[in-house]
Amino acid sequence: MSSAGSRRIRVITAGFALLTLAGGLTACGSDSTDDAGSGKGTAPAAAGSTTVTVGALSNGAATPVDLTVPEVAAIRAELPPAVVKEGTLTIGLGLLPSGSPPLGFVGSDQKTLTGSEPDLGRLVAAVFGLKPVLNNATWDNLFVGIDSGKNQLGFSNITDTEQRKTKYDFACYRQDNLGFEVSKSSTWNFDGTAASLAGKTVAVGAGTNQEKILQAWQATLKGEGKKLTIKYFPDNNSTYLALNSGKIDAYFTPNPAVAYHVRLTEKTPNATRSGGKYSGAGATLQGLICATTKKDDGLVKPTADAINYLIKNGDYAKLLAAWNLSDEAVATSQVNPPGLPLDNA
């Protein structure tokens, strides 16, 4: 993983620790989950189709919805014969030890993996007509699992980078964005330029990709005789206390973290909203999150085709809406599009 991408993942993981407790969500993980075997998150359906309960067991982090997905014979025919013969799709997740809502975490039953990433994996498996088997591990061991063949596909907020393409193929399915979280009563919105931040006070996590971007905007404004104040807090609790009290105007953090906290607070006196987003890859490239498979193993095209089928039939939009991630939608799943360049690693 690129250092910038790695810092973003760590921010998501660490930053959700307090939010997880506040939302009543468990923070523990499991090594492996066979959804079809457990019956959790997948309901019975007509022959030749699978009903996946998106947002199951999320304890308020999602709005659950049942999606019935038919097996698509033309896409199944693209799979390597060995995968079809095995009858399962092994999906790697790098969520240990604490999970990252809304992307992936252990549900309210204390054992089933839920989140936007495992749910998309389940939907792709349904298009293939295969049984999903989820292998949860640490971030590093997720890639060890792909390298060894234990994981056929990684669905774990993996950023498309040119460095990773030396070993892996990508079928991209979501924008990789940072976001500004503001009080719901705030009238301010980020317009994509440093100018809109003039005179604002913004909190950010130290040592993160978003801090680097914010500091660059601060330098630009300083050169124009304008001021952007950057604030640091020891944890999310103190950051949100500052936001609620008006001591800061916005919190600049990974966009999924914004989506999750907005969902948790929407019916409280301290409700927040998204004040805008920005590509994690910077101004000249839209960062992308991708399903990841071992290079040249024959899975990337059918995976992209399965995602595009879900986009076309509307299930993809329903998945993102359930997890409040609609603002990260892509129009189409591309195979190995331009990723973070080597000089941004």
Side-chain angles (χ1 to χ4, degrees), residues 38-60:
S38 69
K40 301 293 185 180
T42 304
S49 64
T50 303
T51 299
V52 177
T53 304
V54 167
L57 304 168
S58 68
N59 210 358

Side-chain angles (χ1 to χ4, degrees), residues 8-332:
R8 286 199 298 276
I9 289 292
R10 286 201 297 270
V11 168
I12 290 174
T13 301
F16 279 130
L18 183 73
L19 295 179
T20 297
L21 294 175
L25 301 170
T26 181
C28 61
S30 59
D31 291 331
S32 180
T33 301
D34 184 334
D35 285 293
S38 69
K40 301 293 185 180
T42 304
S49 64
T50 303
T51 299
V52 177
T53 304
V54 167
L57 304 168
S58 68
N59 210 358
T63 302
V65 58
D66 288 341
L67 302 179
T68 300
V69 182
E71 174 188 317
V72 181
I75 298 176
R76 180 181 170 92
E78 298 174 4
L79 293 168
V83 175
V84 176
K85 182 178 180 181
E86 187 68 26
T88 59
L89 183 70
T90 53
I91 298 166
L93 300 157
L95 303 173
L96 293 179
S98 59
S100 294
L103 304 174
F105 56 100
V106 177
S108 56
D109 67 349
Q110 307 299 312
K111 62 181 181 179
T112 302
L113 288 166
T114 188
S116 61
E117 303 295 272
D119 278 350
L120 181 57
R122 293 175 176 115
L123 293 173
V124 168
V127 174
F128 290 162
L130 300 175
K131 181 174 73 172
V133 177
L134 306 185
N135 294 321
N136 195 18
T138 63
W139 177 255
D140 288 342
N141 283 329
L142 158 66
F143 291 94
V144 172
I146 296 173
D147 295 342
S148 68
K150 177 182 179 181
N151 300 328
Q152 292 164 318
L153 286 174
F155 280 94
S156 200
N157 206 54
I158 301 169
T159 301
D160 172 16
T161 75
E162 294 305 309
Q163 183 179 41
R164 287 189 184 138
K165 283 179 186 164
T166 62
K167 292 181 65 177
Y168 307 107
D169 284 323
F170 293 116
C172 298
Y173 57 84
R174 190 162 49 78
Q175 294 180 5
D176 180 12
N177 290 325
L178 304 170
F180 288 91
E181 187 171 3
V182 300
S183 170
K184 190 173 182 179
S185 62
S186 171
T187 59
W188 178 82
N189 289 291
F190 178 66
D191 68 2
T193 69
S196 66
L197 292 164
K200 301 300 179 183
T201 299
V202 181
V204 73
T208 62
N209 183 48
Q210 54 267 28
E211 180 195 31
K212 181 176 68 174
I213 292 170
L214 199 62
Q215 287 174 336
W217 285 328
Q218 184 184 50
T220 296
L221 289 170
K222 184 177 181 180
E224 299 172 354
K226 301 173 185 176
K227 186 177 182 180
L228 165 61
T229 302
I230 299 176
K231 291 286 188 180
Y232 300 91
F233 296 92
D235 52 44
N236 269 354
N237 189 40
S238 55
T239 303
Y240 286 122
L241 285 173
L243 184 63
N244 296 337
S245 65
K247 291 181 179 179
I248 60 174
D249 297 297
Y251 180 25
F252 191 38
T253 193
N255 193 60
V258 175
Y260 176 59
H261 192 251
V262 168
R263 175 64 58 82
L264 287 186
T265 64
E266 62 185 352
K267 296 181 180 179
T268 73
N270 295 319
T272 61
R273 66 174 179 84
S274 170
K277 61 182 182 177
Y278 188 77
S279 171
T284 60
L285 179 69
Q286 175 59 61
L288 293 170
I289 301 297
C290 308
T292 304
T293 184
K294 186 185 291 187
K295 197 165 190 66
D296 298 327
D297 70 355
L299 277 174
V300 70
K301 184 180 184 300
T303 299
D305 288 345
I307 295 168
N308 281 323
Y309 174 81
L310 294 166
I311 291 172
K312 185 176 181 180
N313 77 1
D315 286 341
Y316 169 80
K318 293 174 184 177
L319 164 77
L320 294 185
W323 290 104
N324 200 27
L325 292 171
S326 298
D327 64 352
E328 295 200 336
V330 296
T332 186

